[in-house]
């Protein structure tokens, strides 16, 4: 039998072994906990990075979607504009084809036009692929610019500038001045046939005005602006220019409306005069250095000298500010009433 001391020693030894096992197990557990804690922290970092990546992807996707929607909007706008352009071109082609189909003899004359041209005239040759219209009001496009105008089937076409926006459009521009680059102190034949460039400063021509306004009723608008930027207009509900045998007189001038004042009425019925053909008793054209429907002599001198001065020779409209101050801008336009 074991003595008490031996029993005590064995008990102590067993206890020590148990403590060693317990300590080792505890160390193992603590190590595993450290490992789990470290892994947990790694998972937290990975989760945070994943969230950031998801957020960045969302931003990128939203931007891509926005760019895609914007591109679709631009594409729709471009398609709409292209469709409008194609519609305008189609209408012009249809009008050209209709005109060509109805005027076989006119087509034959297109290639033998040289004997119809007048020296100094702004009118250019009508090409076979260009449509022509009886007036700017008949032009199917709402784009302002040069178009071919033909008064009737027997007359030659000419290039004119059509104002398709202002005052509801359809206006043929007769005269345009805005920078003084063109001299308007000219001879009778030049005023009769026209001079200048219809896309710059120009005068259309009295013979064309007579042919247009004698064919059917026309109205008239005159726009003016002084060098201070003050703008005014005068509108007349009837307008006709006589023939050359009638000295291209201002044959008809209707009722006035507008903001410039009714200065043109003073010239109603007056013949046109130039420096080499005075059709008045006061030599107004030579004195006031222009070409106009001078009376005795003028309240309007829009073909006078381009100058910023209070001068009777300047291009002026008397009832606009009630003086002879020169204008910086003038535009005369006409269109059919119906």
């Amino acid at each position: 039998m074991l003595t008490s001391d031996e029993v005590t020693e064995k008990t102590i030894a067993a206890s020590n072994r148990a403590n060693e096992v317990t300590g080792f197990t505890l160390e193992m557990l603590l190590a595993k906990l450290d490992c789990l804690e470290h892994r947990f922290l790694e998972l937290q970092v990975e989760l945070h990075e994943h969230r950031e990546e998801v957020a960045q992807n969302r931003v990128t996707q939203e931007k891509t979607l926005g760019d895609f929607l914007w591109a679709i909007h631009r594409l729709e706008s471009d398609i709409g504009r292209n469709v409008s352009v194609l519609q305008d071109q189609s209408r012009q082609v249809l009008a050209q084809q209709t005109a060509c189909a109805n005027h076989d003899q006119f087509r034959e004359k297109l290639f033998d036009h040289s004997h119809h041209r007048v020296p100094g005239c702004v009118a250019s040759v009508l090409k076979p692929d260009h449509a022509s219209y009886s007036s700017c009001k008949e032009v199917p496009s709402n784009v302002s610019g040069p178009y071919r105008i033909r008064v009737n089937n027997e007359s030659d076409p000419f290039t004119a500038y059509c104002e398709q926006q202002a005052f509801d459009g359809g206006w043929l521009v007769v005269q345009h001045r805005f920078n003084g680059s063109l001299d308007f102190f000219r001879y009778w034949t030049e005023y009769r046939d026209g001079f200048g460039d219809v896309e710059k400063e120009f005068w259309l021509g009295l013979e064309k005005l007579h042919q247009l306004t004698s064919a059917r009723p026309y109205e008239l608008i005159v726009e003016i602006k002084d060098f201070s930027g003050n703008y005014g207009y005068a509108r007349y509900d009837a307008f006709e220019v006589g023939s050359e045998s009638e000295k291209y007189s201002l044959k008809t001038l209707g009722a006035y409306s507008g903001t410039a004042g009714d200065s043109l009425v003073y010239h109603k019925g007056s013949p046109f005069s130039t420096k080499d053909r005075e059709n008045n008793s006061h030599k107004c054209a030579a004195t006031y250095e222009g070409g106009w429907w001078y009376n005795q002599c003028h309240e309007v001198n829009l073909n006078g000298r381009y100058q910023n001065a209070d001068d009777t020779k300047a291009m002026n409209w008397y009832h606009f500010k009630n003086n002879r101050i020169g204008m910086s801008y003038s535009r005369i336009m006409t269109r059919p009433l119906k």
Side-chain angles (χ1 to χ4, degrees):
M1 293 188 60
L2 295 174
T3 64
S4 60
D5 290 333
E6 290 175 339
V7 170
T8 301
E9 289 175 358
K10 288 183 178 181
T11 301
I12 292 171
S15 176
N16 289 336
R17 284 195 297 272
N19 289 336
E20 289 175 359
V21 171
T22 302
F24 177 76
T25 302
L26 181 61
E27 288 177 357
M28 290 285 292
L29 291 173
L30 290 174
K32 287 184 177 181
L33 285 174
D34 288 339
C35 181
L36 289 173
E37 183 180 11
H38 180 72
R39 180 58 181 162
F40 178 73
L41 291 175
E42 288 180 344
L43 289 173
Q44 282 186 321
V45 171
E46 290 177 1
L47 180 61
H48 178 71
E49 291 175 347
H50 179 68
R51 286 175 177 171
E52 288 185 343
E53 183 178 356
V54 169
Q56 290 177 353
N57 288 338
R58 183 183 295 111
V59 171
T60 302
Q61 289 173 355
E62 289 176 351
K63 184 177 183 301
T64 301
L65 179 60
D67 292 342
F68 180 71
L69 293 175
W70 178 82
I72 291 176
H73 174 71
R74 283 293 304 273
L75 181 61
E76 290 176 344
S77 299
D78 291 340
I79 290 174
R81 283 194 296 269
N82 290 336
V83 168
S84 297
V85 171
L86 286 173
Q87 287 175 340
D88 284 342
Q89 291 178 345
S90 297
R91 283 193 292 266
Q92 291 186 21
V93 169
L94 179 60
Q96 175 192 352
Q97 290 175 343
T98 302
C100 289
N102 292 335
H103 304 292
D104 292 336
Q105 293 181 351
F106 180 69
R107 289 202 304 272
E108 293 174 0
K109 290 182 179 180
L110 290 173
F111 303 98
D112 186 21
H113 57 270
S114 59
H115 62 284
H116 294 298
R117 300 191 66 184
V118 180
C121 183
V122 296
S124 57
V125 179
L126 180 64
K127 298 180 181 179
D129 58 343
H130 286 179
S132 59
Y133 307 94
S134 61
S135 72
C136 292
K137 207 170 184 179
E138 304 302 322
V139 173
S141 173
N142 62 356
V143 177
S144 300
Y147 292 91
R148 305 301 179 94
I149 302 299
R150 186 182 67 245
V151 180
N152 53 54
N153 295 341
E154 289 71 38
S155 62
D156 292 326
F158 59 88
T159 299
Y161 193 94
C162 294
E163 171 53 58
Q164 301 297 86
Q165 296 292 327
F167 299 99
D168 298 323
W171 295 93
L172 184 148
V173 181
V174 174
Q175 181 250 43
H176 195 193
R177 302 185 72 181
F178 53 90
N179 60 13
S181 60
L182 188 64
D183 184 10
F184 275 67
F185 191 32
R186 292 176 177 259
Y187 296 100
W188 178 265
T189 55
E190 295 175 285
Y191 270 102
R192 180 192 66 197
D193 302 331
F195 54 87
D197 184 333
V198 296
E199 296 191 81
K200 299 177 182 178
E201 291 198 333
F202 73 96
W203 172 262
L204 182 67
L206 291 165
E207 183 59 32
K208 300 182 188 70
L209 274 180
H210 165 65
Q211 291 181 15
L212 289 165
T213 59
S214 61
R216 52 176 163 165
Y218 268 72
E219 60 180 321
L220 180 74
I221 276 186
V222 181
E223 293 182 294
I224 54 174
K225 184 168 63 176
D226 64 22
F227 282 88
S228 298
N230 299 304
Y231 169 87
Y233 76 93
R235 186 168 187 168
Y236 298 88
D237 62 10
F239 173 62
E240 182 182 353
V241 173
S243 65
E244 185 168 19
S245 63
E246 296 172 306
K247 303 174 183 178
Y248 294 121
S249 62
L250 185 53
K251 195 171 183 177
T252 302
L253 187 68
Y256 160 85
S257 62
T259 60
D262 188 7
S263 293
L264 194 57
V265 67
Y266 176 75
H267 300 265
K268 181 178 180 180
S270 298
F272 202 89
S273 293
T274 60
K275 61 183 179 180
D276 63 325
R277 189 172 299 188
E278 295 280 8
N279 292 313
N280 63 85
S281 59
H282 288 68
K283 296 185 178 180
C284 299
T287 302
Y288 298 104
E289 300 185 7
W292 197 250
W293 294 280
Y294 290 111
N295 190 341
Q296 305 297 332
C297 274
H298 71 77
E299 290 189 356
V300 175
N301 193 35
L302 291 184
N303 289 334
R305 289 297 181 189
Y306 189 92
Q307 55 185 4
N308 183 11
D310 188 355
D311 189 340
T312 53
K313 294 182 179 181
M315 48 177 286
N316 56 55
W317 186 278
Y318 177 71
H319 286 96
F320 188 64
K321 309 297 183 182
N322 290 324
N323 58 38
R324 307 289 184 180
I325 193 73
M327 297 291 109
S328 68
Y329 173 93
S330 72
R331 187 166 69 160
I332 303 173
M333 304 186 295
T334 188
R335 76 176 178 186
L337 283 171
K338 296 181 180 179

